[in-house]
Amino acid sequence: MTEHRSTPDDSFPNEELAELWKQQETPMSHTADPRQLERLAASIRDGHRTEQMRLIWLSVREGIPLAILVAYFGYLAVADTPLMFVSMLLCMGIAVFFASSSIRQHKSEQRFDTTLRGSIERSLSQARHRLWMYQNSGWWYFAPLVLAFALLVVWAIIDDPNGAKPSDALLLPFSGACFGGMYWWARRVAATKWHPEVERLEALLADLQS
């Protein structure tokens, strides 16, 4: 009796994944069931698309408050004191950096092909970018934002005929606690979500190349 040896085309339930298998430079030959690759490939593609949608929502969520702050500081600068132009520019800098970094990352992800290797590399590039953004949020996001508000508080105290009030002393620790909490949250997201995701995708890529 002649033994029938299954091929990737036999194992995959649809042509897209069969073609994906064929295109691999180094197939996962040790994978017993190619259907595992189907689930892996689908999971990676879905995860990448999901994070792209989350980035769009994050851009809207962060962009609207920043636009309001830019308009507010700009109004104060024109109406009262030029010092608020600095606060306006700091908030604009946050928005410009975030937008340019996201656009540059999106373009860089387009260079990866549609193979399983390319899908992993694309998601890995995405995860590394998100990890970097959250880990370094202290200098590109929180530092300019804190400085912008600090200038506003200083201007308000100087502009007040009565000078500093006891309530101003409470404002500083309260503001520090708020910004500190947001910074802690950003670092936590980096440590608990994106760092493990980078390690997982790096392990998958290494496994694919072995």
Side-chain angles (χ1 to χ4, degrees):
M1 181 180 296
T2 303
E3 181 183 358
H4 174 70
R5 187 177 301 276
S6 63
T7 66
D9 290 339
D10 298 328
S11 304
F12 282 109
N14 60 64
E15 294 181 0
E16 178 188 1
L17 290 166
E19 186 62 26
L20 184 147
W21 174 282
K22 290 178 182 178
Q23 293 176 17
Q24 301 314 309
E25 297 176 9
T26 310
M28 286 183 174
S29 56
H30 60 280
T31 302
D33 185 2
R35 292 176 186 274
Q36 296 178 12
L37 290 182
E38 174 190 359
R39 291 191 293 270
L40 174 61
S43 174
I44 291 173
R45 291 195 299 268
D46 290 344
H48 182 265
R49 284 193 295 266
T50 298
E51 291 305 328
Q52 283 182 317
M53 295 304 298
R54 286 178 178 171
L55 181 61
I56 293 174
W57 163 241
L58 181 63
S59 300
V60 173
R61 191 183 70 187
E62 296 294 332
I64 292 176
L66 285 173
I68 293 173
L69 287 175
V70 168
Y72 175 66
F73 288 133
Y75 168 77
L76 292 179
V78 172
D80 197 279
T81 175
L83 180 62
M84 291 298 97
F85 273 120
V86 178
S87 295
M88 182 190 73
L89 291 174
L90 287 168
C91 292
M92 287 182 62
I94 296 173
V96 170
F97 180 84
F98 181 79
S100 61
S101 176
S102 300
I103 293 171
R104 186 166 56 249
Q105 174 60 26
H106 177 72
K107 290 181 178 179
S108 71
E109 291 175 11
Q110 304 310 304
R111 72 179 188 272
F112 299 109
D113 55 36
T114 58
T115 63
L116 179 57
R117 181 197 298 268
S119 297
I120 295 174
E121 290 175 334
R122 181 182 299 108
S123 292
L124 178 58
S125 176
Q126 180 191 64
R128 284 172 173 167
H129 173 256
R130 301 294 191 277
L131 176 63
W132 188 93
M133 293 291 283
Y134 277 101
Q135 283 184 331
N136 294 277
S137 60
W139 69 264
W140 72 266
Y141 184 87
F142 291 105
L145 198 59
V146 168
L147 182 56
F149 275 93
L151 290 174
L152 176 63
V153 172
V154 170
W155 167 75
I157 293 175
I158 294 175
D159 191 61
D160 191 335
N162 299 319
K165 300 182 292 292
S167 59
D168 295 329
L170 299 176
L171 180 62
L172 294 178
F174 175 76
S175 302
C178 290
F179 286 116
M182 289 189 293
Y183 177 67
W184 172 85
W185 174 82
R187 296 287 297 185
R188 179 175 173 79
V189 170
T192 60
K193 178 179 180 179
W194 290 113
H195 189 266
E197 181 66 4
V198 167
E199 291 184 334
R200 183 181 76 89
L201 292 168
E202 286 177 341
L204 283 175
L205 188 60
D207 186 49
L208 181 66
Q209 294 172 341
S210 61

